[in-house]
Amino acid sequence: MAPSMTEAGAAHPLLRFDDFHVRFPRGPAVRGIDLSLSKGEALGIVGESGSGKSVTWLAALGLLGPAAQITGSVRFDDQDLRTMPAGRLARLRGGRIALISQDPMSALNPVQRVGRQIAEVLRLHRGLSKTEARRETIRLFDQVGIPDARNRVDLFPHELSGGQNQRVMIAMALAGQPDLLVADEPTTALDVTIQAQILTLLDDLRRDLGMALVLISHDLAVVGELCDRISVFYAGRIVESAPMGRLLRAPAHPYTAGLIAAAPRLGRGRGTLTPIPGQVPDPWNMPKGCAFAPRCLHVRADCTHAQPDFAPVAGHRSHLSACVLSTPAQTLTPEQTDALT
Amino acid sequence: MTRFLIRRLLRAVLTILIVVVAAFVALRTTSDPAMVILGPDAPPDALAAFRKAWGLDQPLVIQFASYAWQILHGEFGKSMLDGADVLQKVTARVGVTLEIMVPALILGVVFGVALGTLAALNRGRWLDRLMMFGAVAGFSVPGFVLGLVLVLIFAVNLHWLPSGGNDSWTSALLPVFTLAVGWAAILARFTRSAMIEVLDQPYIRTGSAKGLLWHEVVLRHALPNASIPVVTMVGFMVGGLLAGAVVTESVFSWPGLGQLIVTSVTSRDVSVVQCVLVLVATTMVVSNMLVDLLYTWLDPRMKEAQA
Ligand SMILES: Nc1ncnc2c1ncn2[C@@H]1O[C@H](COP(=O)(O)OP(=O)(O)O)[C@@H](O)[C@H]1O
Ligand code: SF4
Ligand SMILES: [Mg+2]
């Protein structure tokens, strides 16, 4: 797909996937992702569990084992992460690109004090001495809102609550002064009230520090609050991508519409939540054509012939969808599409 | 924590006490030491004199009370066989036993942990399969069988090494090797599974996500955590060292504590047997206790569990 069509204003993206695939021995988990992200942008990634959100980012960062076969490219700051020497990619992680994941409790080493685990990053990426690292760790704890930081740095993960451990993980991510923070379901394992606090913290930090944020969630309401733009994942592909307001107001893909109807805080005043019946197909059992067809209320005969193009929705250059209903612009050339916006 | 310590200490003392009592009673009720030591043809008055001299004519309770009193004063008495000081006799043999046990344990730990770690890091590949095949073979073959086979090959057939005794350092080679193989095999299996469990934990991925290179993740986050159960396993091995000496020393005629146990049990040298049993029980109990403490110290999560 032509780059000019995929993303608006992405001339110098911070990160960019092109035709990115990840295949496990049992089947393909990511089936051709094109995505780009600019400096300082907040991008939301949504989709039900199993749609390939985590695998995409783990593969990009070289964190999947040798069983994962990766093709296509992912470039960060114009360097191809896939062909980069392993040592250089390793040092990019935790430095310019930070990742935090779902379960903060198990993501921290249970037998090391939390402060020490953050100091490790400071010494690795910023070359701080032991005492400097300790001082900086305490400052980071303050920054992410951990009270009594001076004493908490010496505690073990099991002595902190889930929410505080997630703050520790965020402090650890900030320690490398990243340009990009990938937060994979950062609040899924937490209580609802704590969830809101962590999201607010992430939002504030992103604005203060000017870093780009990729917020991954199965919950549209979570990403809707924080993100400029949202990409909807289904069965290893992006099925819709649009600025946040537009996506929530006028979803073009039936799957997105289903997610909105199912989202607790976005219920569009209908009062009842309607979960999408059925489930995400497994990698070894991908339907032909549109992968959503078996669950789609609007399915037509041509849906199962070929994979619908991921193309601009009529009149909106930055709104793309992969559905036969929403892409009357299929036959338009990029020039014609430009003219529409 | 203090309460935990006190509880453990009480239990340790109780265990040792039970061993002492059981040994004491068993040694005196299953057969008559006087008869065994002086022989079946000894005249009755000689037997009576012997029993009187060693207090064997007293009621069991009285005998035990005076024995316990002695032990509490660090007195283990004299050998009924030759009148030598029991404690000296036993400690001399402990030294001989440790001459093979310590090097064997060090070799077993070094090779076991190294091979187990390598296997875990190469999980499912041929290196892993090969090493685990070796480990299974290593601990399914009983130590005495391996020992006998080695003696047959290297001593009896090739005449390269002595078949027993401890006359030169070469005599130690076969027993040390045999013991080390057994321990290395157990520890390799144990280390491998501990390591595999740790490597599957999410915090290992955090280590990579932080920017550590793979060998740094392994050295800083995987090995230290996997070593916690391994350390406790080694602790239990240390506890069983002296007791385990019996078989090895019999196979290689190594004149250590194991042989002393065998000879003094057959000759009913009661005070020696008792002293050895107390020693063996104490090392087991003490090392088990140390293992518990070490575990709590290495794994901070345990402190809460015990509080
Ligand atoms: N390490 C792995 N090995 C094999 N399959 C995997 C692995 N990780 C994820 N998968 C599969 O890839 C698909 C996408 O998973 P994932 O990216 O974790 O989904 P999401 O994060 O969107 O919930 C799932 O079908 C999952 O079973
Ligand atoms: S392409 Fe067809 S099946 Fe797929 S979402 Fe659109 S209407 Fe539904
Ligand atoms: Mg996920």
Side-chain angles (χ1 to χ4, degrees), chain A residues 253-255 290-293 296-300 303 308 322-325:
Chain A
H253 197 283
Y255 180 60
C290 173
F292 188 58
C296 183
L297 299 175
H298 309 280
V299 62
R300 307 190 314 213
C303 295
C323 171
V324 292
L325 302 181

Side-chain angles (χ1 to χ4, degrees), chain A:
Chain A
M1 174 159 311
S4 63
M5 271 176 71
T6 51
E7 300 302 337
H12 259 293
L14 179 64
L15 183 96
R16 180 172 158 160
F17 290 93
D18 277 298
D19 197 24
F20 193 73
H21 292 252
V22 183
R23 184 178 189 93
F24 290 111
R26 296 186 68 186
V30 174
R31 306 182 299 143
I33 297 284
D34 296 288
L35 182 69
S36 78
L37 177 75
S38 355
K39 291 195 172 64
E41 187 183 1
L43 171 70
I45 305 280
V46 281
E48 287 164 294
S49 176
S51 39
K53 307 182 298 294
S54 301
V55 166
T56 300
W57 295 91
L58 292 174
L61 295 177
L63 290 172
L64 290 176
Q69 247 184 50
I70 304 170
T71 53
S73 83
V74 51
R75 301 177 73 79
F76 178 77
D77 215 7
D78 276 335
Q79 315 163 71
D80 193 335
L81 297 183
R82 280 199 50 235
T83 54
M84 181 180 283
R88 261 185 63 209
L89 177 59
R91 294 302 193 226
L92 213 56
R93 296 191 292 254
R96 296 194 62 196
I97 310 177
L99 172 74
I100 59 181
S101 53
Q102 178 165 342
D103 184 3
M105 211 63 122
S106 60
L108 285 161
N109 187 332
V111 305
Q112 284 186 8
R113 297 173 198 282
V114 287
R116 175 174 160 197
Q117 300 186 50
I118 290 172
E120 190 174 25
V121 178
L122 293 168
R123 301 181 72 176
L124 189 68
H125 291 285
R126 286 161 64 185
L128 300 192
S129 73
K130 210 170 169 173
T131 44
E132 288 167 338
R134 187 181 168 84
R135 202 174 325 125
E136 176 67 1
T137 302
I138 293 172
R139 190 191 69 74
L140 285 166
F141 269 39
D142 282 332
Q143 190 176 13
V144 300
I146 298 178
D148 192 19
R150 203 162 290 279
N151 293 315
R152 299 264 160 103
V153 290
D154 289 324
L155 295 182
F156 291 97
H158 74 273
E159 296 172 310
L160 295 169
S161 67
Q164 294 209 328
N165 274 316
Q166 195 58 294
R167 286 177 198 267
V168 171
M169 289 304 293
I170 294 172
M172 188 187 286
L174 297 184
Q177 299 174 319
D179 297 318
L180 167 62
L181 172 61
V182 180
D184 188 356
E185 310 258 8
T187 61
T188 305
L190 306 176
D191 293 344
V192 181
T193 47
I194 312 291
Q195 282 188 14
Q197 291 172 16
I198 295 288
L199 290 176
T200 311
L201 173 67
L202 284 174
D203 198 32
D204 292 346
L205 289 170
R206 180 184 70 85
R207 286 169 205 278
D208 293 348
L209 303 174
M211 62 184 179
L213 173 70
V214 171
L215 182 62
I216 304 173
S217 178
H218 64 279
D219 184 352
L220 192 50
V222 165
V223 298
E225 284 175 34
L226 257 64
C227 298
D228 311 325
R229 194 159 54 92
I230 294 178
S231 286
V232 181
F233 273 52
Y234 187 79
R237 284 176 181 265
I238 299 179
V239 294
E240 183 161 12
S241 177
M244 190 261 284
R246 167 134 189 113
L247 187 99
L248 295 183
R249 241 184 4 259
H253 197 283
Y255 180 60
T256 313
L259 285 181
I260 292 171
R265 273 161 286 172
L266 297 168
R268 310 193 115 196
R270 269 191 283 146
T272 51
L273 300 175
T274 32
I276 311 169
Q279 48 200 305
V280 182
D282 289 315
W284 55 92
N285 209 6
M286 282 296 164
K288 194 173 166 337
C290 173
F292 188 58
R295 306 169 70 184
C296 183
L297 299 175
H298 309 280
V299 62
R300 307 190 314 213
D302 54 341
C303 295
T304 51
H305 291 162
Q307 176 64 46
D309 280 349
F310 186 50
V313 174
H316 294 274
R317 214 187 137 204
S318 59
H319 186 174
L320 296 97
S321 167
C323 171
V324 292
L325 302 181
S326 55
T327 53
Q330 256 182 70
T331 51
L332 296 186
T333 62
E335 287 73 21
Q336 289 170 308
T337 317
D338 281 348
L340 282 169
T341 28

Side-chain angles (χ1 to χ4, degrees), chain B residues 147 150-152 154-155 161-163 169-179 248 252:
Chain B
L150 290 175
V151 166
L152 273 179
F154 292 100
L161 295 170
S163 68
W169 67 272
T170 48
S171 339
L173 289 180
L174 289 184
V176 166
F177 181 79
T178 308
L179 287 167
T248 316
F252 297 102

Side-chain angles (χ1 to χ4, degrees), chain B residues 207-272:
Chain B
S208 299
K210 269 180 180 184
L212 297 175
L213 302 171
W214 181 236
H215 73 267
E216 294 170 326
V217 177
V218 170
L219 287 176
R220 294 189 202 175
H221 293 281
L223 261 180
N225 292 37
S227 77
I228 296 172
V230 175
V231 164
T232 67
M233 187 73 182
V234 173
F236 290 125
M237 285 177 169
V238 170
L241 275 190
L242 295 182
V246 175
V247 173
T248 316
E249 292 184 2
S250 303
V251 172
F252 297 102
S253 329
W254 186 262
L257 193 72
Q259 292 238 306
L260 182 65
I261 297 177
V262 175
T263 52
S264 50
V265 166
T266 30
S267 62
R268 289 283 150 168
D269 197 347
V270 174
S271 36
V272 172

